Coordinates of all heavy atoms in Angstrom, one line a residue:
M218 N 1.0 -1.3 -0.1 CA 0.0 0.0 0.1 C 0.8 1.2 0.1 O 0.7 2.0 -0.9 CB -0.9 -0.1 1.2 CG -1.9 1.1 1.3 SD -3.1 1.1 -0.1 CE -3.8 2.7 0.1
G219 N 1.7 1.4 1.0 CA 2.7 2.5 1.0 C 3.6 2.7 -0.1 O 3.8 3.7 -0.7
E220 N 3.8 1.4 -0.7 CA 4.8 1.5 -1.8 C 4.1 2.0 -3.1 O 4.8 2.8 -3.8 CB 5.1 0.0 -2.1 CG 6.6 -0.2 -2.4 CD 7.1 -1.7 -2.5 OE1 7.2 -2.1 -1.4 OE2 6.9 -2.3 -3.6
S221 N 2.8 1.7 -3.4 CA 2.3 2.3 -4.7 C 2.0 3.7 -4.6 O 2.1 4.4 -5.5 CB 0.9 1.5 -4.9 OG -0.1 1.9 -3.7
V222 N 1.9 4.3 -3.3 CA 1.8 5.8 -3.1 C 3.2 6.3 -3.5 O 3.2 7.3 -4.2 CB 1.4 6.1 -1.7 CG1 1.6 7.6 -1.4 CG2 0.0 5.6 -1.4
D223 N 4.2 5.7 -3.1 CA 5.6 6.3 -3.4 C 5.7 6.3 -4.9 O 6.3 7.2 -5.5 CB 6.7 5.3 -2.8 CG 6.9 5.7 -1.3 OD1 6.2 6.7 -0.9 OD2 7.5 5.0 -0.5
I224 N 5.3 5.3 -5.6 CA 5.5 5.2 -7.0 C 4.6 6.4 -7.7 O 5.1 7.0 -8.5 CB 5.0 3.8 -7.6 CG1 6.1 2.7 -7.1 CG2 4.9 3.8 -9.1 CD1 5.6 1.4 -7.4
M225 N 3.4 6.5 -7.2 CA 2.6 7.6 -7.8 C 3.3 8.9 -7.6 O 3.4 9.8 -8.5 CB 1.3 7.6 -7.0 CG 0.2 6.8 -7.6 SD 0.1 7.0 -9.5 CE -0.6 8.6 -9.5
R226 N 3.9 9.1 -6.4 CA 4.5 10.4 -6.1 C 5.8 10.6 -7.1 O 5.9 11.7 -7.7 CB 5.1 10.5 -4.8 CG 4.1 10.9 -3.8 CD 4.7 11.4 -2.4 NE 3.6 11.4 -1.5 CZ 3.6 10.7 -0.3 NH1 4.7 10.2 0.1 NH2 2.7 10.9 0.5
Q227 N 6.6 9.5 -7.4 CA 7.6 9.6 -8.3 C 7.1 9.9 -9.7 O 7.8 10.8 -10.4 CB 8.4 8.3 -8.3 CG 9.3 8.2 -7.2 CD 10.0 6.9 -7.1 OE1 9.8 6.1 -7.8 NE2 11.1 6.8 -6.0
L228 N 6.0 9.3 -10.2 CA 5.5 9.5 -11.4 C 5.0 11.1 -11.6 O 5.5 11.7 -12.5 CB 4.2 8.8 -11.7 CG 4.5 7.3 -12.3 CD1 3.3 6.5 -12.4 CD2 5.1 7.4 -13.6
V229 N 4.4 11.5 -10.5 CA 4.0 13.1 -10.6 C 5.2 13.9 -10.8 O 5.2 14.9 -11.4 CB 3.3 13.2 -9.4 CG1 2.9 14.8 -9.2 CG2 1.9 12.7 -9.3
K230 N 6.2 13.6 -10.0 CA 7.5 14.4 -10.1 C 8.1 14.3 -11.4 O 8.6 15.2 -11.9 CB 8.6 13.8 -9.1 CG 8.6 14.6 -7.7 CD 9.8 14.1 -6.9 CE 9.4 14.0 -5.5 NZ 10.3 13.2 -4.7
M231 N 8.1 13.2 -12.0 CA 8.7 12.9 -13.4 C 8.0 13.8 -14.4 O 8.6 14.5 -15.2 CB 8.7 11.4 -13.8 CG 10.0 10.8 -13.7 SD 10.0 9.3 -14.7 CE 8.8 8.4 -14.0
V232 N 6.6 13.8 -14.3 CA 5.8 14.5 -15.2 C 6.1 16.0 -15.1 O 6.2 16.6 -16.0 CB 4.3 14.2 -15.1 CG1 3.4 15.2 -15.9 CG2 4.0 12.8 -15.5
A233 N 6.1 16.5 -13.8 CA 6.3 17.8 -13.6 C 7.6 18.3 -14.2 O 7.8 19.3 -14.8 CB 6.4 18.1 -12.1
R234 N 8.7 17.4 -14.0 CA 10.0 17.7 -14.6 C 9.9 17.8 -16.1 O 10.7 18.8 -16.7 CB 11.0 16.7 -14.1 CG 12.3 17.1 -13.7 CD 13.3 16.1 -13.2 NE 12.9 15.6 -11.9 CZ 13.2 14.5 -11.3 NH1 13.8 13.6 -12.1 NH2 12.8 14.1 -10.2
T235 N 9.2 16.8 -16.7 CA 9.2 16.9 -18.2 C 8.6 18.2 -18.6 O 9.0 18.7 -19.8 CB 8.4 15.7 -18.8 OG1 8.9 14.7 -17.9 CG2 8.8 15.4 -20.2
Q236 N 7.5 18.6 -18.1 CA 6.8 19.8 -18.6 C 7.7 21.1 -18.4 O 7.5 22.0 -19.2 CB 5.5 20.0 -17.7 CG 4.3 19.0 -18.2 CD 3.2 19.0 -17.4 OE1 3.2 19.4 -16.3 NE2 2.1 18.4 -17.9
Q237 N 8.4 21.1 -17.2 CA 9.3 22.3 -17.1 C 10.7 22.0 -17.6 O 11.7 22.0 -17.0 CB 9.4 22.5 -15.6 CG 8.2 23.1 -14.9 CD 8.3 23.8 -13.7 OE1 9.2 23.4 -12.9 NE2 7.6 24.9 -13.5
R238 N 10.7 21.7 -18.9 CA 11.8 21.4 -19.7 C 12.9 22.6 -19.7 O 12.5 23.7 -19.7 CB 11.4 21.1 -21.0 CG 12.5 20.5 -22.0 CD 12.0 20.2 -23.3 NE 11.9 21.6 -24.0 CZ 12.8 22.1 -24.6 NH1 14.0 21.7 -24.7 NH2 12.5 23.3 -25.2
E239 N 14.1 22.3 -19.4 CA 15.0 23.4 -19.3 C 15.5 23.9 -20.8 O 15.4 22.9 -21.6 CB 16.3 23.0 -18.6 CG 15.9 23.1 -17.1 CD 17.2 22.5 -16.2 OE1 18.3 22.6 -16.9 OE2 17.0 22.3 -15.1
L240 N 15.8 25.0 -21.0 CA 16.2 25.5 -22.3 C 17.8 25.2 -22.4 O 18.4 25.2 -21.4 CB 15.9 26.9 -22.6 CG 14.5 27.6 -22.4 CD1 14.5 29.1 -22.6 CD2 13.7 26.9 -23.5
D241 N 18.2 25.1 -23.6 CA 19.7 25.0 -23.8 C 20.2 26.4 -24.2 O 19.4 27.3 -24.5 CB 20.1 23.9 -24.7 CG 19.6 24.1 -26.0 OD1 19.5 25.2 -26.5 OD2 19.4 23.0 -26.8
C242 N 21.4 26.5 -24.2 CA 22.1 27.9 -24.5 C 21.6 28.4 -25.8 O 21.4 29.6 -25.9 CB 23.6 27.8 -24.4 SG 24.3 27.3 -22.8
G243 N 21.5 27.6 -26.8 CA 21.1 28.1 -28.2 C 19.8 28.7 -28.2 O 19.4 29.8 -28.7
E244 N 18.8 28.0 -27.4 CA 17.4 28.5 -27.3 C 17.3 29.8 -26.5 O 16.6 30.7 -26.8 CB 16.6 27.5 -26.6 CG 16.2 26.2 -27.5 CD 15.6 25.0 -26.8 OE1 16.1 24.7 -25.7 OE2 14.6 24.5 -27.3
V245 N 18.2 30.0 -25.6 CA 18.2 31.1 -24.8 C 18.7 32.3 -25.5 O 18.3 33.4 -25.6 CB 19.0 30.9 -23.4 CG1 19.3 32.2 -22.7 CG2 18.3 29.9 -22.6
F246 N 19.8 32.0 -26.2 CA 20.5 33.0 -27.0 C 19.5 33.5 -28.0 O 19.6 34.7 -28.5 CB 21.7 32.4 -27.8 CG 22.7 33.5 -28.3 CD1 23.6 34.0 -27.4 CD2 22.6 33.8 -29.6 CE1 24.4 34.9 -27.9 CE2 23.5 34.6 -30.1 CZ 24.3 35.3 -29.2
A247 N 18.6 32.7 -28.7 CA 17.6 33.0 -29.6 C 16.5 34.0 -29.2 O 16.2 34.9 -30.0 CB 16.8 31.8 -30.2
V248 N 16.4 34.0 -27.9 CA 15.4 35.1 -27.4 C 16.1 36.1 -26.4 O 15.4 36.9 -25.8 CB 14.1 34.2 -26.6 CG1 13.5 33.3 -27.6 CG2 14.7 33.5 -25.5
L249 N 17.4 36.0 -26.3 CA 18.0 36.8 -25.4 C 17.8 38.3 -25.6 O 17.7 39.1 -24.7 CB 19.5 36.5 -25.3 CG 20.2 36.8 -24.1 CD1 19.6 36.3 -22.8 CD2 21.6 36.5 -24.1
D250 N 17.9 38.7 -27.0 CA 17.7 40.1 -27.2 C 16.2 40.6 -26.9 O 16.0 41.7 -26.3 CB 18.1 40.5 -28.6 CG 17.3 39.7 -29.7 OD1 16.9 38.5 -29.4 OD2 17.4 40.1 -30.9
Q251 N 15.3 39.7 -27.3 CA 13.9 40.1 -26.8 C 13.7 40.2 -25.3 O 13.0 41.1 -24.8 CB 12.9 39.0 -27.2 CG 12.4 38.9 -28.6 CD 11.6 37.6 -29.0 OE1 12.2 36.8 -29.5 NE2 10.5 37.6 -28.5
Y252 N 14.3 39.3 -24.6 CA 14.1 39.3 -23.1 C 14.8 40.5 -22.6 O 14.3 41.1 -21.7 CB 14.9 37.9 -22.6 CG 15.1 37.9 -21.1 CD1 14.1 38.0 -20.3 CD2 16.5 38.2 -20.5 CE1 14.3 37.9 -18.8 CE2 16.7 38.1 -19.2 CZ 15.7 38.1 -18.3 OH 15.7 38.0 -17.1
T253 N 16.1 40.8 -23.1 CA 16.8 42.0 -22.6 C 16.0 43.3 -22.9 O 15.9 44.2 -22.1 CB 18.2 42.1 -23.3 OG1 18.8 40.7 -23.1 CG2 19.0 43.2 -22.5
E254 N 15.5 43.4 -24.2 CA 14.6 44.6 -24.5 C 13.5 44.7 -23.6 O 13.1 45.8 -23.1 CB 14.0 44.4 -25.9 CG 15.0 44.5 -27.1 CD 15.1 45.8 -27.7 OE1 14.6 46.8 -27.0 OE2 15.7 45.9 -28.7
A255 N 12.8 43.6 -23.2 CA 11.7 43.6 -22.1 C 12.1 44.2 -20.8 O 11.5 45.0 -20.3 CB 11.1 42.2 -22.1
I256 N 13.4 43.6 -20.6 CA 13.9 44.1 -19.2 C 14.2 45.7 -19.1 O 13.8 46.4 -18.2 CB 15.3 43.4 -18.9 CG1 15.0 41.9 -18.6 CG2 16.0 44.0 -17.7 CD1 14.5 41.6 -17.2
V257 N 14.7 46.1 -20.3 CA 15.1 47.5 -20.4 C 13.8 48.3 -20.4 O 13.7 49.4 -19.8 CB 15.9 47.9 -21.6 CG1 16.2 49.2 -21.9 CG2 17.3 47.1 -21.5
A258 N 12.8 47.8 -21.0 CA 11.4 48.4 -21.1 C 10.6 48.5 -19.8 O 9.6 49.0 -19.7 CB 10.6 47.9 -22.3
G259 N 11.2 47.7 -18.9 CA 10.6 47.5 -17.5 C 9.4 46.6 -17.6 O 8.4 46.8 -16.7
E260 N 9.2 45.8 -18.6 CA 8.2 44.9 -18.6 C 8.3 43.7 -17.6 O 9.4 43.5 -17.1 CB 8.0 44.2 -20.1 CG 7.6 45.3 -21.0 CD 7.6 44.7 -22.4 OE1 7.7 43.5 -22.7 OE2 7.8 45.6 -23.4
D261 N 7.1 43.1 -17.2 CA 7.2 41.9 -16.3 C 7.6 40.7 -17.2 O 6.7 40.2 -17.9 CB 5.8 41.8 -15.7 CG 5.8 40.6 -14.6 OD1 6.8 40.1 -14.4 OD2 4.7 40.2 -14.2
V262 N 8.7 40.2 -17.0 CA 9.2 39.1 -17.8 C 9.1 37.8 -17.0 O 9.2 36.7 -17.7 CB 10.6 39.3 -18.2 CG1 10.7 40.4 -19.2 CG2 11.6 39.4 -17.0
S263 N 8.6 37.8 -15.8 CA 8.6 36.6 -15.1 C 7.8 35.5 -15.6 O 8.2 34.3 -15.3 CB 8.2 36.9 -13.6 OG 6.9 37.5 -13.6
A264 N 6.6 35.7 -16.1 CA 5.8 34.6 -16.8 C 6.3 34.1 -18.1 O 6.7 33.0 -18.4 CB 4.4 34.9 -16.8
E265 N 6.6 35.1 -19.0 CA 6.9 34.8 -20.3 C 8.3 34.3 -20.6 O 8.5 33.4 -21.3 CB 6.6 36.2 -21.3 CG 6.7 35.8 -22.8 CD 6.6 37.1 -23.6 OE1 6.3 38.3 -23.0 OE2 6.8 37.1 -24.9
F266 N 9.2 34.8 -19.9 CA 10.6 34.2 -19.9 C 11.0 33.6 -18.7 O 12.2 33.5 -18.4 CB 11.5 35.6 -20.1 CG 11.3 36.3 -21.4 CD1 10.4 37.5 -21.6 CD2 11.8 35.8 -22.5 CE1 10.3 38.0 -22.7 CE2 11.6 36.4 -23.9 CZ 10.9 37.6 -23.9
A267 N 10.1 32.8 -18.1 CA 10.4 32.0 -16.9 C 11.7 31.1 -17.0 O 12.6 31.0 -16.3 CB 9.2 31.4 -16.3
L268 N 11.7 30.5 -18.3 CA 12.7 29.4 -18.5 C 14.0 30.2 -18.8 O 15.1 29.6 -18.5 CB 12.2 28.5 -19.7 CG 11.1 27.6 -19.4 CD1 10.8 26.9 -20.6 CD2 11.6 26.5 -18.3
V269 N 14.0 31.3 -19.3 CA 15.2 32.0 -19.7 C 15.8 32.5 -18.4 O 16.9 32.3 -18.1 CB 14.9 33.3 -20.5 CG1 16.1 34.1 -20.6 CG2 14.4 32.9 -21.9
I270 N 15.0 33.0 -17.6 CA 15.4 33.5 -16.2 C 16.0 32.3 -15.4 O 17.1 32.5 -14.9 CB 14.1 34.1 -15.4 CG1 13.7 35.3 -16.0 CG2 14.7 34.4 -13.9 CD1 12.4 35.8 -15.5
Q271 N 15.4 31.2 -15.6 CA 15.9 29.9 -14.8 C 17.2 29.6 -15.5 O 18.3 29.2 -14.6 CB 14.9 28.7 -15.1 CG 15.3 27.5 -14.4 CD 14.5 26.4 -14.8 OE1 13.7 26.4 -15.9 NE2 14.3 25.3 -14.2
H272 N 17.4 29.8 -16.7 CA 18.7 29.3 -17.4 C 19.8 30.2 -17.0 O 20.9 29.9 -16.9 CB 18.5 29.3 -18.9 CG 19.7 28.9 -19.6 ND1 20.0 27.6 -20.0 CD2 20.9 29.4 -20.1 CE1 21.2 27.4 -20.6 NE2 21.7 28.6 -20.7
L273 N 19.6 31.6 -17.1 CA 20.5 32.7 -16.7 C 21.0 32.4 -15.3 O 22.1 32.8 -14.9 CB 19.9 34.0 -16.8 CG 19.7 34.5 -18.3 CD1 19.0 35.8 -18.2 CD2 20.9 34.4 -19.1
D274 N 20.1 31.8 -14.4 CA 20.5 31.6 -13.0 C 21.6 30.5 -12.9 O 22.3 30.4 -12.0 CB 19.2 31.2 -12.3 CG 18.9 32.0 -11.0 OD1 19.4 33.1 -11.0 OD2 18.3 31.4 -10.1
L275 N 21.6 29.5 -14.0 CA 22.3 28.4 -13.9 C 23.7 28.5 -14.8 O 24.6 27.7 -14.6 CB 21.5 27.2 -14.3 CG 20.4 26.9 -13.5 CD1 19.5 25.9 -14.1 CD2 20.7 26.3 -12.0
C276 N 23.6 29.4 -15.8 CA 24.5 29.3 -16.9 C 25.4 30.6 -17.0 O 24.7 31.7 -17.3 CB 23.8 29.0 -18.2 SG 25.0 29.0 -19.6
R277 N 26.5 30.5 -16.6 CA 27.3 31.8 -16.6 C 27.7 32.3 -17.9 O 27.6 33.7 -18.0 CB 28.7 31.5 -16.0 CG 29.3 32.5 -15.3 CD 30.6 32.4 -14.5 NE 31.2 33.7 -14.5 CZ 30.8 34.7 -13.8 NH1 29.8 34.5 -12.8 NH2 31.2 36.0 -13.8
D278 N 27.8 31.5 -19.0 CA 28.0 32.0 -20.3 C 26.9 33.0 -20.7 O 27.1 34.1 -21.3 CB 28.1 30.9 -21.3 CG 29.5 30.1 -21.2 OD1 30.4 30.7 -20.4 OD2 29.7 29.0 -21.5
C279 N 25.6 32.4 -20.6 CA 24.5 33.2 -21.0 C 24.3 34.4 -20.2 O 23.8 35.4 -20.7 CB 23.2 32.3 -21.1 SG 23.3 31.1 -22.4
L280 N 24.6 34.3 -18.9 CA 24.4 35.5 -18.0 C 25.4 36.6 -18.6 O 25.0 37.8 -18.6 CB 24.9 35.1 -16.6 CG 24.5 36.2 -15.6 CD1 23.0 36.6 -15.5 CD2 25.0 35.7 -14.3
E281 N 26.6 36.3 -18.8 CA 27.6 37.2 -19.4 C 27.2 37.8 -20.7 O 27.2 39.1 -20.8 CB 29.0 36.6 -19.5 CG 29.6 36.5 -18.2 CD 31.0 35.8 -18.4 OE1 31.4 35.4 -19.4 OE2 31.5 35.4 -17.3
E282 N 26.6 37.0 -21.5 CA 26.0 37.5 -22.8 C 24.8 38.5 -22.6 O 24.8 39.5 -23.3 CB 25.5 36.3 -23.7 CG 25.4 36.5 -25.1 CD 26.6 36.9 -25.8 OE1 27.7 36.2 -25.6 OE2 26.6 37.9 -26.5
Y283 N 24.1 38.1 -21.5 CA 22.9 39.0 -21.2 C 23.3 40.3 -20.7 O 22.8 41.4 -21.0 CB 21.9 38.2 -20.2 CG 21.1 39.1 -19.4 CD1 19.9 39.7 -20.0 CD2 21.4 39.3 -18.0 CE1 19.2 40.5 -19.2 CE2 20.6 40.2 -17.2 CZ 19.5 40.8 -17.9 OH 18.7 41.6 -17.1
E284 N 24.3 40.2 -19.8 CA 24.8 41.5 -19.2 C 25.5 42.4 -20.3 O 25.3 43.7 -20.2 CB 25.8 41.2 -18.1 CG 25.1 40.6 -16.8 CD 26.0 40.2 -15.6 OE1 27.1 40.0 -16.1 OE2 25.4 40.0 -14.6
A285 N 26.2 41.8 -21.1 CA 26.8 42.6 -22.2 C 25.6 43.3 -23.1 O 25.7 44.5 -23.3 CB 27.7 41.7 -23.1
L286 N 24.7 42.5 -23.5 CA 23.6 43.0 -24.2 C 22.8 44.1 -23.4 O 22.4 45.1 -24.0 CB 22.6 41.9 -24.5 CG 21.7 41.8 -25.7 CD1 22.6 42.0 -27.0 CD2 21.0 40.6 -25.9
L287 N 22.6 43.9 -22.2 CA 22.0 44.8 -21.2 C 22.6 46.2 -21.3 O 22.0 47.2 -21.4 CB 21.8 44.3 -19.9 CG 21.0 45.0 -18.9 CD1 19.4 45.0 -19.3 CD2 21.0 44.5 -17.5
S288 N 23.9 46.2 -21.2 CA 24.8 47.3 -21.1 C 24.7 48.1 -22.3 O 24.5 49.4 -22.5 CB 26.2 47.2 -20.6 OG 26.9 46.5 -21.6
V289 N 24.7 47.4 -23.5 CA 24.6 48.1 -24.8 C 23.2 48.8 -24.9 O 23.0 49.9 -25.3 CB 24.7 47.0 -26.0 CG1 24.3 47.6 -27.2 CG2 26.2 46.5 -26.1
L290 N 22.2 48.0 -24.5 CA 20.8 48.5 -24.7 C 20.4 49.7 -23.7 O 19.7 50.7 -24.3 CB 19.8 47.3 -24.5 CG 19.5 46.4 -25.6 CD1 18.6 45.3 -25.2 CD2 19.0 47.0 -26.8
Q291 N 21.1 49.7 -22.6 CA 20.8 50.8 -21.7 C 21.5 52.0 -22.1 O 21.1 53.0 -21.9 CB 21.3 50.2 -20.2 CG 20.4 49.5 -19.5 CD 20.9 48.9 -18.2 OE1 22.1 48.8 -18.0 NE2 19.9 48.4 -17.3
K292 N 22.6 51.9 -22.8 CA 23.2 53.0 -23.4 C 22.4 53.7 -24.5 O 22.3 54.9 -24.5 CB 24.7 52.7 -24.0 CG 25.7 52.9 -22.9 CD 27.1 52.3 -23.6 CE 27.9 51.8 -22.5 NZ 28.9 50.8 -23.0
I293 N 21.7 52.8 -25.3 CA 20.8 53.4 -26.3 C 19.7 54.0 -25.8 O 19.4 55.2 -26.3 CB 20.5 52.1 -27.4 CG1 21.8 51.5 -28.0 CG2 19.5 52.7 -28.4 CD1 21.5 50.2 -28.7
H294 N 18.9 53.5 -24.8 CA 17.8 54.0 -24.4 C 17.9 55.3 -23.4 O 18.9 55.4 -22.9 CB 17.0 52.8 -23.5 CG 16.3 51.8 -24.3 ND1 15.0 51.9 -24.7 CD2 16.8 50.8 -25.0 CE1 14.8 50.9 -25.4 NE2 15.9 50.2 -25.7
Ligands
ZN1229 ZN1 23.5 29.0 -21.4

């Protein structure tokens, strides 16, 4: 009895993980200028770019790219 509940919990966790698929660097890079524009414009990016934010948290390369882009855009605006 207790065992089948554990299996159900593991299944639920697996499904949740699959749905919240992480982006790779190429996918982040593809939307990074859009994301940075939205940041500079002061838009709420937390929903639309949740996966990008998550990736920038974990990936130093993309974070540096983002910061470089941000400083360029902030000079223009
Ligand atoms: Zn990355």
Side-chain angles (χ1 to χ4, degrees):
M218 183 69 194
E220 225 170 276
S221 66
V222 171
D223 281 351
I224 289 167
M225 273 310 291
R226 276 196 197 130
Q227 278 176 359
L228 272 177
V229 168
K230 262 190 222 164
M231 256 197 303
V232 170
R234 222 177 283 155
T235 320
Q236 282 171 346
Q237 290 202 323
R238 192 181 70 85
E239 286 177 17
L240 299 179
D241 65 32
C242 292
E244 288 170 309
V245 170
F246 199 80
V248 297
L249 199 59
D250 55 342
Q251 269 172 269
Y252 170 71
T253 312
E254 291 264 14
I256 292 279
V257 172
E260 287 168 25
D261 180 13
V262 294
S263 55
E265 197 183 344
F266 292 100
L268 289 174
V269 174
I270 295 166
Q271 185 189 15
H272 185 93
L273 291 177
D274 236 25
L275 303 167
C276 179
R277 209 177 154 76
D278 287 346
C279 288
L280 186 64
E281 280 176 8
E282 199 61 49
Y283 160 70
E284 283 172 349
L286 210 54
L287 187 64
S288 71
V289 170
L290 283 175
Q291 278 173 337
K292 272 177 212 157
I293 295 169
H294 282 263

